[in-house]
Amino acid sequence: MTNKKKADQQASPKKTPLHDTSGSAQRTRLLAYLRQHGSINTFEAIRLLNIVRPGARISELRAKGHNIATHLGTLKDDQGREHQGVATYYLSACAIEVSA
């Protein structure tokens, strides 16, 4: 019997269905969306990606070295109600260095 270590498996956005609510799957979906679209707001993350706490996932992505900026603004929800202080997240092309 050989003792081989498996390669670190990165979750693919195509392999993380919306019903997978693990933190890893949520981070993968969020990062893939940011890479494709450049930005996402809190309402979109909840509705489109099934991420109930997008701010927590953003914080985790930042801790992994992703340069994500936040803008707080007033946005309307799906029912047309205005909400102040809603976060919109933007992915920068440059990664930041994270100290261990």
Side-chain angles (χ1 to χ4, degrees):
M1 179 183 222
T2 61
N3 188 8
K4 291 184 179 179
K5 287 187 178 181
K6 288 188 177 182
D8 186 19
Q9 301 294 317
Q10 283 282 35
S12 165
K14 294 178 181 178
K15 295 181 182 178
T16 58
L18 291 177
H19 66 271
D20 185 347
T21 58
S22 69
S24 175
Q26 291 180 42
R27 286 189 299 275
T28 299
R29 288 193 302 267
L30 183 54
L31 188 57
Y33 189 94
L34 285 170
R35 285 181 173 154
Q36 183 175 3
H37 300 281
S39 69
I40 191 168
N41 66 53
T42 299
F43 296 146
E44 293 168 333
I46 293 168
R47 186 179 71 248
L48 300 174
L49 304 179
N50 192 26
I51 299 174
V52 177
R53 295 185 57 222
R57 302 297 82 83
I58 291 292
S59 178
E60 294 162 356
L61 288 171
R62 286 178 178 146
K64 291 180 177 283
H66 298 283
N67 190 7
I68 301 172
T70 302
H71 171 75
L72 299 178
T74 301
L75 295 175
K76 290 186 179 181
D77 63 20
D78 292 341
Q79 289 75 38
R81 299 174 292 221
E82 282 194 358
H83 296 265
Q84 295 180 4
V86 178
T88 299
Y89 304 103
Y90 300 89
L91 182 62
S92 174
C94 302
I96 58 173
E97 185 175 322
V98 177
S99 58

